[in-house]
């Protein structure tokens, strides 16, 4: 007996499959990102503890098993859910509710443009391992991440609290300034690869320079990478650039927030770490590329070839970007716990008098080199 | 002797003002700690109180949990004079006096002697006030947290039972410590 398939499905098979696959990709990426961000909240505390000769959180346990503090993110989440959901009496209730959402959603949206693999063939269906393959991926990321400023700014405004408002002023000034520097540090990479699509950039990094050196962005643009790291850390508002929040003595823009609203600000910061790490990996460290791994298997420059199954190759590629992302997240945590905080004028000076001219210089040198080599 | 450390206030060199090398140098220090502690946790200085405890430095000046001293015949030295209860700034001592009717020269004794450790500020006024040297704060046991208020209430029996050095049965923290202690001793 054949199942009666409605004409609608038959007629729209292509779009429906696309929808289903996209939905699946969104679910997988969302789950992975949220899980990793939760683990990052723990990693932040564990890494800082180890750096300071402490043991870090290790008390939350289930049936007596603490597993080195693995249950702490869950315990924190539970605790935050049961905290009082406070809204300041004279605050703007609508904007107050909107602000944490505006902080969280743009950073989540960024993962749409970040490729986490090349493509996978399942039953003749070629699935691009990226949620949305824009040809303007980098610009999309810059545009959407700048939306997060609204979250920071509205939260201070809607709280009707002078300290929170001052915090948001600092946040807005810092984020907008570093947005400029961040964008300019990436221009060099775009010039080298001649495209703004992150998938294309990742693919271009699979080629070999001089026949043996993987053509990763760091090889072409080592200087831009350092600038990018500095600008990204500032954009993320973490130490050494955390005058915005200054949790130990200054007061930040989410002063009046409690419960899950506060958690969404906190969480968006951790998700931003993942975005930055993934972006750094994609632009400067080959993205999902494994050195010498072609679609058919390993091809080494000295002639050895190891043919590999297609699914194994895909697994290696996804593993590669994951490992790189984890490594850079860890590096960002280490930087955050190493460098003391800048003063606010120093933060601004560094941006407008340091990073910005250097980024422009980098663009100039890159342009001259490209023109000279061509 | 006062040691003077001269701070070298020279202007930063260009390399230092570029931050990157200085940040890298700083990260070298923190990373050394990170990896050393990751692979060799014995370097970590944290003491997981209350399971682990460091020996207290010399008991002489330390005010730890109270105890009531006893005479050679086992009767409490306390004569229920209420001095300590009066002196206590936290109002956490509660004494019920009773009389000896057997010609005991002490005449009075405490029928009940409760100290509420959840209110006690460990000031030692009670010890200072006692004319009989009957109450002491030398058990070497620092009252930690407890899961219920009752666990921090000490009655006369508890106060008389705990001789110095003897592990007390009081409070959640002490219980955790004792469990750990037993496990360590078993090994
Ligand atoms: S130590 Fe101080 S607060 Fe505690 S019982 Fe004695 S007098 Fe009261
Ligand atoms: S001051 Fe000393 S003798 Fe008087 S009631 Fe207190 S413990 Fe007993």
């Amino acid at each position: 007996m054949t199942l009666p398939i409605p004409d609608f499905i038959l007629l729209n098979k292509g779009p429906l499959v696309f929808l289903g696959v996209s939905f699946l990709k969104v679910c997988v990426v969302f789950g992975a990102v949220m899980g990793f961000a939760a683990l990052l909240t723990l990693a932040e505390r564990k890494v800082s503890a180890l750096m300071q000769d402490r043991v870090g959180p290790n008390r939350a346990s289930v049936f007596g098993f603490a597993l080195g503090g693995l249950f702490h993110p869950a315990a924190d989440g539970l605790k935050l859910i049961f905290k009082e959901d406070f809204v300041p009496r004279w605050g703007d209730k609508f904007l107050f509710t909107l602000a944490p959402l505006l902080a969280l959603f743009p950073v989540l949206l960024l993962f749409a443009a970040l490729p986490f693999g090349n493509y996978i063939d399942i039953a003749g269906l070629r699935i691009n391992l990226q949620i949305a393959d824009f040809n303007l991926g980098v610009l999309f990321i810059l545009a959407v991440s700048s939306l997060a400023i609204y979250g920071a700014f509205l939260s201070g405004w809607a709280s009707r609290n002078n300290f929170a408002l001052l915090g948001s002023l600092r946040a807005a000034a810092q984020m907008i300034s570093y947005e400029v520097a961040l964008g300019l540090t990436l221009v060099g990479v775009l010039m080298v690869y001649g495209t703004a699509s992150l998938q294309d950039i990742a693919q271009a990094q699979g080629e070999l320079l001089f026949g043996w050196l993987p053509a990763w962005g760091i090889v072409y643009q080592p200087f831009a990478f350092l600038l990018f790291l500095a600008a990204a850390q500032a954009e993320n508002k973490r130490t050494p650039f955390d005058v915005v929040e200054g949790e130990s003595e200054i007061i930040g823009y989410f002063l009046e927030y409690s419960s899950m609203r506060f958690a969404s600000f906190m969480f968006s910061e951790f998700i931003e770490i993942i975005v930055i790490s993934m972006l750094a990996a994609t632009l400067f460290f080959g993205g999902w590329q494994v050195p010498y791994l072609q679609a058919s298997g390993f091809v080494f420059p000295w002639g050895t070839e190891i043919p590999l199954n297609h699914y194994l190759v895909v697994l290696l590629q996804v593993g590669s970007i994951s490992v790189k992302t984890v490594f850079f997240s860890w590096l960002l945590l280490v930087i955050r716990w190493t460098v003391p905080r800048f003063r606010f004028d120093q933060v601004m000076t560094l941006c407008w008098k340091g990073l910005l001219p250097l980024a422009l210089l980098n663009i100039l040198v890159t342009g001259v080199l490209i023109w000279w080599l061509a | 002797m006062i040691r003077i450390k001269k701070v070298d206030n020279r202007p930063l060199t260009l390399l230092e003002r570029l931050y990157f090398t200085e940040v890298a140098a700083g990260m070298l220090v923190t990373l050394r700690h990170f990896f050393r502690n990751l692979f060799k946790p014995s370097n970590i200085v944290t003491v997981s109180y209350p399971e682990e405890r460091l020996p207290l430095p010399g008991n002489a000046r330390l005010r730890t949990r109270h105890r009531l001293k006893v005479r050679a015949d086992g009767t409490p030295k306390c004569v229920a004079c209420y001095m300590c209860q009066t002196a206590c700034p936290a109002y956490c001592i509660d004494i019920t006096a009773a009389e000896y009717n057997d010609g005991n020269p002490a005449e009075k004794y405490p029928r009940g002697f409760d100290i509420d450790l959840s209110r006690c500020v460990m000031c030692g006024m009670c010890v200072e006030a006692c004319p009989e040297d009957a109450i002491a704060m030398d058990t070497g046991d620092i009252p930690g947290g407890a899961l219920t208020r009752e666990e921090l209430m000490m009655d006369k029996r508890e106060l008389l039972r705990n001789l110095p050095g003897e592990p007390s049965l009081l409070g959640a923290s002490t219980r955790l410590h004792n469990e750990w202690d037993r496990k360590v001793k078993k090994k």
Side-chain angles (χ1 to χ4, degrees):
Chain A
M1 190 184 110
T2 53
L3 282 173
I5 304 172
D7 286 348
F8 173 75
I9 293 183
L10 279 180
L11 284 174
N12 298 298
K13 195 153 158 270
L16 280 178
V17 167
F18 174 76
L19 257 183
V21 168
S22 298
F23 183 70
L24 212 68
K25 283 194 282 194
V26 169
C27 287
V28 169
V29 171
F30 185 73
V33 167
M34 281 313 207
F36 185 42
L39 284 180
L40 262 185
T41 62
L42 174 68
E44 160 118 314
R45 284 175 285 169
K46 275 287 185 191
V47 167
S48 65
L50 285 178
M51 283 164 62
Q52 298 164 356
D53 296 353
R54 298 182 283 112
V55 287
N58 60 358
R59 287 295 162 132
S61 62
V62 172
F63 301 122
F65 292 103
L67 296 183
L70 209 57
F71 297 113
H72 270 269
D76 290 338
L78 272 180
K79 183 192 81 180
L80 282 166
I81 286 175
F82 287 110
K83 289 269 171 188
E84 185 193 349
D85 184 16
F86 174 77
V87 179
R89 191 150 163 223
W90 306 112
D92 185 325
K93 296 202 174 50
F94 175 67
L95 291 183
F96 193 80
T97 313
L98 190 67
L101 300 180
L102 272 180
L104 189 59
F105 283 137
V107 279
L108 280 175
L109 208 57
L110 293 179
F111 286 95
L114 288 165
F116 52 94
N118 197 357
Y119 61 86
I120 183 169
D121 275 323
I122 298 179
L125 196 67
R126 176 183 268 233
I127 300 170
N128 195 352
L129 289 185
Q130 182 186 22
I131 293 175
D133 188 3
F134 298 103
N135 50 6
L136 286 175
V138 177
L139 295 186
F140 171 80
I141 284 191
L142 289 175
V144 174
S145 69
S146 63
L147 278 182
I149 296 172
Y150 286 108
F153 199 74
L154 285 181
S155 62
W157 180 254
S159 304
R160 241 313 176 71
N161 178 316
N162 290 345
F163 292 106
L165 186 59
L166 285 174
S168 337
L169 280 177
R170 285 197 304 272
Q174 176 174 331
M175 285 168 86
I176 290 171
S177 306
Y178 276 90
E179 194 86 11
V180 179
L182 189 72
L184 286 178
T185 55
L186 297 185
V187 171
V189 183
L190 302 191
M191 283 162 75
V192 169
Y193 294 111
T195 170
S197 151
L198 286 165
Q199 184 68 285
D200 289 351
I201 290 178
Q203 256 151 13
Q205 296 185 67
E207 275 152 33
L208 294 178
L209 219 55
F210 318 123
W212 57 273
L213 188 64
W216 287 2
I218 185 83
V219 180
Y220 293 121
Q221 297 276 316
F223 196 52
F225 172 66
L226 290 179
L227 296 180
F228 169 77
L229 216 56
Q233 186 87 338
E235 180 71 14
N236 195 1
K237 310 183 287 291
R238 285 164 64 81
T239 330
F241 304 99
D242 71 335
V243 271
V244 168
E245 179 195 337
E247 52 210 351
S248 45
E249 57 277 299
I250 327 170
I251 303 172
Y253 54 88
F254 42 63
L255 167 64
E256 295 284 1
Y257 282 84
S258 63
S259 185
M260 281 318 266
R261 297 181 203 234
F262 166 74
S264 60
F265 280 116
M266 216 50 208
F267 221 60
S268 69
E269 215 168 87
F270 280 101
I271 296 173
E272 243 170 81
I273 296 177
I274 308 178
V275 173
I276 292 166
S277 313
M278 223 162 146
L279 204 58
T282 309
L283 291 174
F284 296 99
F285 285 85
W288 40 261
Q289 299 277 6
V290 184
Y292 313 125
L293 182 70
Q294 308 286 341
S296 57
F298 279 107
V299 182
F300 291 107
W302 54 87
T304 325
E305 286 192 26
I306 309 172
L308 287 179
N309 183 316
H310 172 62
Y311 294 109
L312 205 59
V313 170
V314 170
L315 209 65
L316 274 175
Q317 288 173 341
V318 176
S320 159
I321 182 90
S322 311
V323 168
K324 286 168 191 169
T325 308
V326 171
F327 172 77
F328 279 112
S329 308
W330 171 80
L331 193 73
L332 288 175
L333 293 191
V334 173
I335 294 175
R336 182 231 190 282
W337 285 99
T338 299
V339 190
R341 182 190 302 150
F342 286 125
R343 248 183 5 240
F344 191 61
D345 61 321
Q346 289 171 328
V347 170
M348 282 306 179
T349 312
L350 186 69
C351 177
W352 292 107
K353 293 191 190 161
L355 290 182
L356 199 67
L358 287 177
L360 286 172
L361 193 72
N362 184 53
I363 293 172
L364 184 73
V365 172
T366 311
V368 168
L369 278 181
I370 288 177
W371 169 74
W372 185 56
L373 289 176
Chain B
M1 196 185 88
I2 301 171
R3 282 193 304 161
I4 296 172
K5 190 184 170 200
K6 281 227 176 74
V7 180
D8 186 11
N9 267 334
R10 69 194 159 72
L12 299 180
T13 61
L14 182 69
L15 204 63
E16 283 169 339
R17 270 190 295 142
L18 281 180
Y19 292 121
F20 282 115
T21 49
E22 292 301 294
V23 170
M27 277 171 67
L28 226 60
V29 174
T30 45
L31 281 180
R32 208 163 43 227
H33 279 262
F34 178 82
F35 283 113
R36 195 190 66 191
N37 293 329
L38 191 65
F39 295 116
K40 211 164 142 238
S42 56
N43 278 315
I44 290 173
V45 292
T46 309
V47 176
S48 298
Y49 189 85
E51 287 99 335
E52 303 168 28
R53 291 180 187 192
L54 296 176
L56 295 171
N59 245 350
R61 292 191 179 184
L62 223 56
R63 292 193 292 271
T64 50
R65 193 176 52 74
H66 315 68
R67 71 177 170 114
L68 285 179
K69 295 185 182 173
V70 286
R71 301 196 186 94
D73 62 353
T75 53
K77 271 170 105 177
C78 170
V79 293
C81 68
Y82 286 84
M83 292 282 230
C84 52
Q85 184 172 339
T86 315
C88 177
Y91 305 116
C92 66
I93 304 182
D94 185 15
I95 302 169
T96 323
E99 273 183 55
Y100 288 116
N101 289 321
D102 54 0
N104 189 321
E107 290 183 7
K108 272 165 73 187
Y109 70 97
R111 175 134 45 86
F113 197 115
D114 299 334
I115 298 184
D116 183 354
L117 283 182
S118 64
R119 287 162 144 217
C120 171
V121 295
M122 310 304 285
C123 64
M125 295 290 209
C126 46
V127 180
E128 297 291 327
C130 181
E132 295 287 323
D133 190 26
I135 187 164
M137 295 179 76
D138 58 359
T139 48
D141 183 15
I142 298 169
L147 299 180
T148 59
R149 278 161 202 269
E150 284 70 35
E151 280 182 88
L152 286 172
M153 288 290 283
M154 286 198 300
D155 57 6
K156 185 179 146 195
R157 210 167 41 98
E158 183 102 36
L159 283 165
L160 283 171
R161 182 177 55 202
N162 292 291
L163 298 172
E166 191 178 292
S168 109
L169 300 169
L170 185 95
S173 65
T174 311
R175 223 175 30 236
L176 283 169
H177 170 67
N178 291 342
E179 273 168 29
W180 173 78
D181 212 30
R182 240 180 290 129
K183 257 190 263 165
V184 169
K185 285 206 179 114
K186 230 189 269 166
K187 272 186 201 157

